[in-house]
Amino acid sequence: MYDVAKIRDDFPILSRKVNGKPLVYLDNGASAQKPRVVIDAMNKAYEEEYANVHRGLHFLSTIATEKYEAVRGIVARFLGAPDPEEIVFTTGTTEGINLVSYGWAAPRLQAGDEIVLSLLEHHANIVPWHFLRERQGVVLKWVEPEADGALDPGKVIDAIGPKSKLVAVTHMSNVTGTLVDVAAICRGARAKGVPVLVDGSQGSVHRPVSIAEIGCDFYAITGHKLYGPSGSGAIWISKDRMREMRPFMGGGDMIREVHRDSVTYADPPMKFEAGTPGIVQQIGMGVALEYLMALGMENVAGHEAALRDYARQRLRGLNWLNLQGDAPGKGAIFSFTLDGPAHAHDISTVLDQRGIAVRAGTHCAMPLLAHYGLTATCRASFGLYNTEAEVDALISGLELCHELFA
Ligand code: PLP
């Protein structure tokens, strides 16, 4: 039984007031709040078990290393990935995708080679490929979403031509909530011999993920959206692709031997993790993922699907509100504009006065906003602790905006 009131008690920040009103936190797409178990585990790590990892033979370094390394196994379990050695720690999805761009794509792609992208992508899954366009003449090939925001896997597969070397696609849009059938894309891409990178920054948060079922080559996640700390994250990379990769950043921890004239590297995944990592952050992410697995991602998905349906029905009832992309089966993420002069920032400010946190702007997805002919939207993004009463609070806040600005 999914007891949302009990779950809310796990998140200390949810009981605070903002502008004199109970906090209604609907900015989970940007970053989620943290349960007490994560905060406590991080405090404990700093207060009792902190030292650098992999370096010392002393007591504290050994405990810190064990706790930190155990997170690889937790991430693998969370992602349904067979082997913890295929998990590379990062600071988030942005770093994971840059690692693939610098470490796998840059040495392999030549001028005229193509990367197939969808227009739903976040800048984190666009700009690292623009680097290759600017520096190496790589061509970006864009696939547009349907009118309702859905992405047709057939169109992505059709876009893969003889010059295509990579497909880079999101699992879930952070703007429209569109859930992408990445397994179908991977099947089609595999048949054409082209690897697939999946941006799992949103997709991993709202439903169970199985790398084995998706069949991709790279899957990147972000700890702070998964109810863990900022500065934590990971990317799953298949063994085959790891073998093809050169290191991205150089420094301590990623080497085997360093001489005046030569260097050899540690085995993956350490080969791709230079310098002192976010030790306590990754430990915190591990606790957050354990928390999610204890709740059950199926249960989280069920709760959020009910919230999505309720929010969709209430938002569609506002005939002066325009939803951008509202595909069936999407996540509980809604982007919208209001008829009339109200800018997304105005709406967000009025809502904030009522304690309601939403995001306003381009959501790091300028090509998608341009496709819709917009420069900004408001976004309400729900998480595992949100309630129907919070949907109602959003709706009455929007009704006030309509009265103020119409
Ligand atoms: N991809 C998507 C779909 C996102 O929503 C985000 C963050 O908003 C990112 C990538 C980047 O994540 P991070 O900033 O944690 O690296």
Side-chain angles (χ1 to χ4, degrees), residues 175-400:
V175 179
T176 60
T178 301
L179 180 67
V180 175
D181 187 349
V182 284
I185 292 173
C186 289
R187 279 195 298 278
R190 193 163 297 276
K192 295 186 177 189
V194 175
V196 179
L197 175 142
V198 179
D199 171 351
S201 192
Q202 298 288 343
S204 60
V205 180
H206 304 287
R207 50 193 304 103
V209 170
S210 164
I211 297 283
E213 281 170 26
I214 293 173
C216 56
D217 298 79
F218 308 94
Y219 192 99
I221 62 170
T222 284
H224 68 87
K225 295 187 204 280
L226 285 157
Y227 307 91
S230 55
S232 66
I235 181 165
W236 174 85
I237 305 177
S238 75
K239 282 253 163 68
D240 288 348
R241 297 289 89 76
M242 267 194 188
R243 272 191 284 274
E244 295 167 353
M245 279 170 68
R246 71 178 184 197
F248 166 29
M249 294 210 291
D253 241 19
M254 50 77 74
I255 51 86
R256 184 168 308 212
E257 287 185 25
V258 181
H259 303 284
R260 290 191 188 203
D261 300 323
S262 64
V263 55
T264 52
Y265 304 116
D267 289 332
M270 299 284 288
K271 184 178 177 181
F272 306 110
E273 296 174 1
T276 299
I279 300 162
V280 176
Q281 287 86 340
Q282 302 295 17
I283 291 171
M285 178 174 75
V287 175
L289 298 183
E290 297 272 30
Y291 178 83
L292 288 173
M293 287 188 278
L295 281 182
M297 287 306 287
E298 287 290 354
N299 299 326
V300 170
H303 173 72
E304 291 189 14
L307 267 183
R308 173 203 61 208
D309 293 345
Y310 182 67
R312 169 185 275 154
Q313 171 235 319
R314 299 260 7 229
L315 288 165
R316 281 185 179 172
L318 307 177
N319 60 12
W320 33 265
L321 180 141
N322 315 298
L323 280 177
Q324 273 77 45
D326 196 17
K330 73 174 208 160
I333 299 176
F334 295 89
S335 275
F336 51 83
T337 53
L338 304 192
D339 287 346
H343 188 273
H345 290 175
D346 301 326
I347 301 166
S348 160
T349 305
V350 171
L351 293 175
D352 185 52
Q353 289 309 307
R354 299 174 69 116
I356 304 168
V358 297
R359 174 137 179 214
T362 62
H363 317 297
C364 298
M366 284 187 179
L368 181 62
L369 275 265
H371 173 72
Y372 287 129
L374 295 169
T375 51
T377 71
C378 241
R379 179 185 72 183
S381 51
F382 294 82
L384 58 83
Y385 37 60
N386 289 122
T387 63
E388 290 195 356
E390 292 181 310
V391 175
D392 294 339
L394 171 68
I395 298 294
S396 64
L398 291 172
E399 282 166 344
L400 176 66

Side-chain angles (χ1 to χ4, degrees), residues 1-14:
M1 157 79 179
Y2 194 89
D3 185 346
V4 72
K6 191 157 163 286
I7 289 167
R8 289 179 69 83
D9 284 344
D10 293 340
F11 290 79
I13 206 169
L14 295 182

Side-chain angles (χ1 to χ4, degrees), residues 29-30 92-95 122 124 170 172 174 199 201-202 222 224-225:
T93 295
T94 302
E95 188 186 327
H122 184 282
T170 191
M172 184 180 284
N174 64 306
D199 171 351
S201 192
Q202 298 288 343
T222 284
H224 68 87
K225 295 187 204 280

Side-chain angles (χ1 to χ4, degrees), residues 118-182:
S118 90
L119 259 195
L120 297 177
E121 303 313 313
H122 184 282
H123 295 164
N125 198 22
I126 298 176
V127 182
W129 313 124
H130 267 309
F131 288 168
L132 300 185
R133 182 191 57 74
E134 287 176 342
R135 295 167 193 174
Q136 302 180 203
V138 166
V139 175
L140 307 189
K141 214 170 172 186
W142 296 94
V143 180
E144 294 188 359
E146 306 302 301
D148 67 355
L151 186 68
D152 179 350
K155 287 194 179 160
V156 179
I157 296 162
D158 286 348
I160 304 171
K163 289 249 166 200
S164 303
K165 294 293 184 302
L166 180 72
V167 176
V169 70
T170 191
H171 198 175
M172 184 180 284
S173 161
N174 64 306
V175 179
T176 60
T178 301
L179 180 67
V180 175
D181 187 349
V182 284

